[in-house]
Amino acid sequence: MRLVVIIATLGRKEQLARLLNHLERQERLPDEVIVSAPDEEHVEVCESRTFPLSTILGRRGLCAQRNYALEHALKRFDVVTFFDDDFIPQDNYLRLLEEAFQDHQNWAVVMGHVVKDGARTAGLSWTEGLQTLATDHQQRPVELNVVDHVGAYGCNMSIRAKFIGDLRFDERLVLYGWQEDIDFTSQLRRHGRVVGLSTLRGVHLGLKMGRVSGERFGYSQVANPIYLIRKGTVPASFALPLMARNMAANLLRSLWPEPYIDRRGRLRGNIAALAHVLMGRIEPEFALKIGP
């Protein structure tokens, strides 16, 4: 079974280098790693590695960068794994992933368990992430737990390549994307199960650098779920509660915002998107027209 790891990156050169070094510790090495970045400013020249490394340049935006990488990967690999550049996998991650796909031919998408997610907080440093993984590894062995999902969390998700075909990430979900992972992987449920495995472990640092502005992100928090409901790829029962929770959090916390989240910017973006929705204007790409 041939396995490729795809990493789309923007503005995190040092973090990317750390992750590539860390991947050399995998018990089952990737058959290739493809890094997709807008230009050379976002990547460092890397020394020779224990796995083949390809860097492709020229596209900007998470969906566009992932699609560009897929063009280079499909038909050459059996499994395509997407890691965010701030995700740290446990050293046995790819070995257990390969075993899971070999043992369960009816699994189309597999995602791992995020031991700690810095996206929900101010974010974690690389050292904190490694310490969290080490502590998790020292605990008693994890019992296998398989849970079906509507779609996969994009910080770490793997797909049986033969099922991808002409399917691509929706590039109307511009910039950071937001729900592009659910949109893409939910469409693969027609081929097999989309599951989360407790035994695949990792830490998502949730770094804030390289992210879009609060107002742009707030616009996407509303426009993207509505667009995906109309598109028919994400059920309203999933998208609407998610949208409502985010809007409520932005409204309530705008009075005393966390220092690491632009709640007021997000709220302005939410309101702008709601106004467009009420006018029947469903345009996720409008986020590009909002000031940086």
Side-chain angles (χ1 to χ4, degrees):
M1 181 172 282
R2 287 182 55 76
L3 185 152
V4 62
V5 172
I6 291 176
I7 304 169
T9 190
L10 176 76
R12 297 175 179 173
K13 185 186 296 187
E14 293 182 2
Q15 170 60 28
L16 173 65
R18 291 191 189 103
L19 175 57
L20 292 173
N21 287 332
H22 183 77
L23 287 178
E24 294 193 344
R25 298 170 42 174
Q26 286 293 306
E27 296 171 7
R28 190 273 191 226
L29 290 170
D31 295 296
E32 186 175 340
V33 173
I34 299 177
V35 173
S36 182
D39 54 58
E40 293 177 348
E41 291 184 7
H42 301 272
V43 296
E44 285 186 350
V45 177
C46 300
E47 66 276 11
S48 59
R49 299 191 175 278
T50 53
F51 50 77
L53 175 64
S54 302
T55 301
I56 56 174
L57 308 173
R59 304 290 300 277
R60 181 180 289 266
L62 183 58
C63 292
Q65 288 172 233
R66 283 177 171 168
N67 286 341
Y68 196 25
L70 280 176
E71 292 174 17
H72 289 73
L74 289 182
K75 299 182 180 178
R76 296 196 293 126
F77 298 95
D78 302 297
V79 173
V80 176
T81 294
F82 291 96
F83 283 155
D84 278 2
D85 56 14
D86 60 347
F87 179 77
I88 311 177
Q90 193 63 271
D91 293 346
N92 61 6
Y93 189 106
L94 294 181
R95 176 178 62 80
L96 295 177
L97 174 68
E98 181 178 45
E99 292 173 3
F101 273 117
Q102 287 174 334
D103 294 342
H104 302 275
Q105 294 299 314
N106 65 329
W107 288 1
V109 181
V110 173
M111 67 175 174
H113 173 72
V114 178
V115 176
K116 194 169 185 179
D117 193 351
R120 302 176 183 275
T121 65
L124 304 170
S125 69
W126 180 259
T127 300
E128 289 170 331
L130 290 179
Q131 290 173 342
T132 300
L133 270 188
T135 301
D136 182 67
H137 183 66
Q138 291 165 5
Q139 296 172 352
R140 60 190 176 92
V142 178
E143 230 177 87
L144 174 62
N145 188 26
V146 181
V147 179
D148 286 273
H149 290 269
V150 171
Y153 186 14
C155 75
N156 77 117
M157 60 183 183
S158 301
I159 300 134
R160 202 180 290 276
K162 68 179 182 180
F163 293 149
I164 295 176
D166 295 330
L167 181 64
R168 295 294 183 271
F169 290 91
D170 191 335
E171 294 187 26
R172 290 192 67 185
L173 305 177
V174 295
L175 301 171
Y176 182 62
W178 186 243
Q179 302 306 302
E180 87 299 330
D181 45 6
I182 302 295
D183 171 51
F184 183 81
T185 54
S186 67
Q187 297 179 70
L188 292 162
R189 284 187 295 157
R190 64 180 180 268
H191 297 294
R193 294 171 65 184
V194 175
V195 300
L197 298 186
S198 58
T199 49
L200 300 182
R201 319 283 283 182
V203 172
H204 185 213
L205 301 181
L207 300 181
K208 303 304 184 273
M209 57 188 177
R211 295 288 181 92
V212 300
S213 72
E215 194 163 351
R216 281 178 163 178
F217 187 61
Y219 189 91
S220 297
Q221 283 182 315
V222 173
N224 289 14
I226 296 296
Y227 167 72
L228 295 177
I229 291 170
R230 291 188 60 178
K231 183 180 173 182
T233 55
V234 177
S237 59
F238 174 88
L240 291 180
L242 173 69
M243 185 179 75
R245 286 195 300 272
N246 286 323
M247 291 177 60
N250 294 335
L251 178 61
L252 293 173
R253 296 178 182 176
S254 63
L255 298 175
W256 297 280
E258 307 94 323
Y260 50 87
I261 296 179
D262 181 11
R263 289 290 181 185
R264 292 168 186 168
R266 289 187 182 186
L267 184 59
R268 288 195 300 272
N270 291 165
I271 293 170
L274 273 178
H276 283 180
V277 169
L278 292 174
M279 292 187 291
R281 186 177 175 183
I282 315 297
E283 297 179 28
E285 57 269 50
F286 183 82
L288 289 170
K289 301 179 181 178
I290 297 174

